[in-house]
Amino acid sequence: AGPIAAAKFFAIEAGSPEYLGGALKELYHAQAWATVHAAIVGSGAGLPALAGFLGRVREGQDPGAAFDAEFGAPVATFAGRSAAYAVREPWVTVSVELDRRVVDEDPEVREMPRSETLARLGDLVANNGSVSGPSARKHFERALRLDPDQPLALAGVGTLRSREQAYEQAAAAFDRAHHLAPSDPIIAYRSARNLMRWVESDLRAGRERNAALDGRVEAARHRFRVAIERDPTFVAAYLGLGSSYLFDDPGTPEAAAALDRARELAPLDPDVRFARAVLALRTGRLDDARADLEALTAAPADPARVRFVRHSLERADLEACLLYTSPSPRDERRYLVCRL
């Protein structure tokens, strides 16, 4: 598929279907990353152009026209430039502090070590649905041959092992990565998700709760909190933290607070709504549960969003949610989840 047209590209927001999922998700995120990276570093215009672009947009100018004016080319043409830029050697990284008012025009620039380049390429491949895991694994292995303590590569190995349901081996890789990069929110989050998947796997297999299983839950919560501390807008980390209490203590205030914050940050995210509904079911708040379930199944004006919500519901893991509800088939809580 070709690049997304400028008008549509700049209209996509954090709650848009193209951002959260659907057929254009991979294309949008790839185009967004490539556009920003190539524009700042590869275009020659650099951060002053980015500052000018943001200033024009704040003043109400059309984003496509503003981009063209500051970078000298329409955003769609950056697809070809970005592809050429991405395969060049060496790569560099740019650390930029952005908010709604200020752009740092004097960022730290450093050459990216080859091991980090390979680890980041592996991560890109591992999270591209059209590319298989073996290609990503090769990148991670090459990175670790160059630097056995490359945390991104270790976390990448953990991600692949977790997908293979080898949760214990994944946890070992994530533990090393987290030890080497304790403030990295992505590594902390992925480590926590692996621990919770391990717990969920044991529950589905009918294993009894024990100290080891409870310890994994607590370790996961700690790492979700690390991810949130390092990135207070990390929706998935709030979702993971809140959902972890469905396992043992849904009434704890931290569970509701985490899911409430996730909803504030991503009000249209169906996974957040679904988790809030299940938490409400587990704590007997049926009216709150109905409100979130109705929000999931309501038909907004955007047909693409309707399709996205339906797709999300189709792939929802209802079995895991049923583990947290009453065993009685007559119980209204179980009925609501089954109905969804």
Side-chain angles (χ1 to χ4, degrees):
I4 301 172
K8 183 173 182 63
F9 179 76
F10 285 114
I12 295 172
E13 300 177 344
S16 301
E18 295 86 355
Y19 187 93
L20 296 171
L24 291 179
K25 176 183 177 181
E26 292 178 5
L27 176 59
Y28 168 73
H29 285 284
Q31 184 173 336
W33 175 88
T35 298
V36 173
H37 205 280
I40 294 176
V41 182
S43 69
L47 287 168
L50 178 62
F53 165 71
L54 294 176
R56 288 172 181 265
V57 172
R58 282 196 298 269
E59 293 169 1
Q61 188 170 337
D62 172 73
F67 191 94
D68 193 347
E70 292 294 335
F71 292 99
V75 66
T77 68
F78 263 75
R81 293 189 192 181
S82 302
Y85 172 78
V87 297
R88 77 175 195 166
E89 294 280 356
W91 283 19
V92 298
T93 58
V94 179
S95 175
V96 184
E97 294 293 333
L98 296 176
D99 64 20
R100 294 183 181 273
R101 300 171 300 281
V102 179
V103 175
D104 180 2
E105 297 189 15
D106 187 25
E108 174 191 354
V109 180
R110 64 177 176 83
E111 183 174 329
M112 184 183 291
R114 180 64 177 168
S115 60
E116 184 179 345
T117 300
L118 290 167
R120 291 188 182 278
L121 282 171
D123 190 63
L124 180 65
V125 172
N127 290 284
N128 184 341
S130 63
V131 182
S132 61
S135 298
R137 193 183 306 277
K138 290 179 181 178
H139 288 305
F140 295 140
E141 290 172 348
R142 290 175 63 194
L144 291 170
R145 283 198 294 270
L146 292 172
D147 180 3
D149 291 331
Q150 183 12 265
L152 298 176
L154 288 167
V157 171
T159 296
L160 296 181
R161 296 301 286 160
S162 186
R163 291 176 183 173
E164 297 164 354
Q165 300 182 22
Y167 302 114
E168 187 170 4
Q169 295 92 325
F174 277 125
D175 284 348
R176 282 191 62 199
H178 184 64
H179 175 74
L180 292 164
S183 63
D184 188 303
I186 301 297
I187 292 176
Y189 167 75
R190 291 180 179 175
S191 173
R193 280 299 300 129
N194 174 69
L195 291 170
M196 289 308 302
R197 289 192 182 105
W198 191 359
V199 169
E200 292 161 7
S201 176
D202 282 353
L203 288 175
R204 289 194 187 97
R207 296 186 178 91
E208 296 292 333
R209 284 182 55 179
N210 54 42
L213 190 146
D214 289 344
R216 293 200 296 270
V217 174
E218 288 303 320
R221 288 174 184 155
H222 170 71
R223 292 189 182 175
F224 282 133
R225 295 184 191 111
V226 170
I228 291 168
E229 180 182 354
R230 300 302 301 174
D231 181 359
T233 65
F234 201 156
V235 174
Y238 286 107
L239 175 60
L241 178 61
S243 298
S244 73
Y245 285 101
L246 296 173
F247 162 69
D248 58 356
D249 190 12
T252 188
E254 187 175 39
L259 294 180
D260 286 347
R261 180 58 178 152
R263 187 184 65 172
E264 291 174 6
L265 293 167
L268 299 177
D269 189 318
D271 293 330
V272 172
R273 287 285 190 174
F274 189 79
R276 281 172 49 85
V278 176
L279 182 70
L281 294 174
R282 288 283 284 114
T283 52
R285 296 178 289 111
L286 297 184
D287 289 341
D288 291 341
R290 287 192 185 96
D292 278 309
L293 296 179
E294 288 170 1
L296 277 172
T297 55
D302 183 357
R305 186 160 294 163
V306 175
R307 291 193 297 272
F308 168 68
V309 170
R310 288 175 178 167
H311 171 70
S312 298
L313 294 178
E314 288 171 2
R315 63 183 173 83
D317 188 356
L318 298 182
E319 283 188 14
C321 293
L322 289 175
L323 287 170
Y324 308 127
T325 62
S326 167
S328 169
R330 296 182 181 180
D331 189 281
E332 188 178 11
R333 293 173 295 178
R334 186 181 182 103
Y335 169 75
L336 284 173
V337 176
C338 289
R339 182 183 175 199
L340 179 64

